[in-house]
Amino acid sequence: MERMNCHLGELKFAGGDSMSFEGYGAVFGNVDAHGDVIEPGAFANYLAGVKSGANQWPAMLLQHGGMGITAADMTPIGVWTQLSEDARGLYAHGRLMPEVAKAREVHALMRAGALDGLSIGFRTVKG
C-alpha cells in the first residue's frame, strides 16, 4: 500500500459541536515525498464502484492504521460521508465519531491546528 500525505490548506469544520470536517485527501499533480504524482481520474473507477455498491467505503483510520497493524491501529475513528474527484483532487468530507476516545483527541488536535493534513492509503494500478 502506498501512502500519500496532503496538507489541508482548506480544512473546514461544520458549525456547532459537529465533528465533521472536509479537505483534500490527494491533490492532482502534486509530487509527494516518494516522487509519486496522482493524475486526474485516478480514483474515478473506485468511486464509481462505491456508488454502485461494488466497492466498500474506505475506513477512516488514524495514520492509515499505524505501522504496527495492531487491533487498535485498525479501529476506525470516523466515517467518510463524501468522496469525490474535482478539478483540484480527491475531495473528502468526513465525520469523527464522538463515541470513540481517539476521535475526540484527534478532533481537539485538528481544532488547535496541530493536525493539518489528510493522508490516504492507495494501491497503484500502474507504477
Side-chain angles (χ1 to χ4, degrees), residues 49-108:
V50 168
K51 289 180 183 177
S52 74
N55 295 335
Q56 292 183 331
W57 278 90
M60 182 190 294
L61 304 173
L62 180 61
Q63 305 291 354
H64 323 111
M67 300 308 272
I69 310 298
T70 66
D73 292 330
M74 300 307 291
T75 302
I77 61 169
V79 294
W80 296 113
T81 56
Q82 181 182 350
L83 294 170
S84 59
E85 281 193 18
D86 62 20
R88 184 169 180 195
L90 178 66
Y91 167 81
H93 183 277
R95 179 172 37 88
L96 296 168
M97 304 303 296
E99 303 85 358
V100 178
K102 185 59 75 179
R104 292 191 304 272
E105 292 175 25
V106 167
H107 185 248

Side-chain angles (χ1 to χ4, degrees), residues 3 9-10 14 20 34 36 59 71 75 94 103 110-111 115-116 118 125:
R3 290 172 169 80
E10 293 185 27
S20 295
H34 304 287
D36 296 320
T75 302
M110 289 170 77
R111 285 226 177 252
L115 294 178
D116 64 352
L118 280 174
V125 174

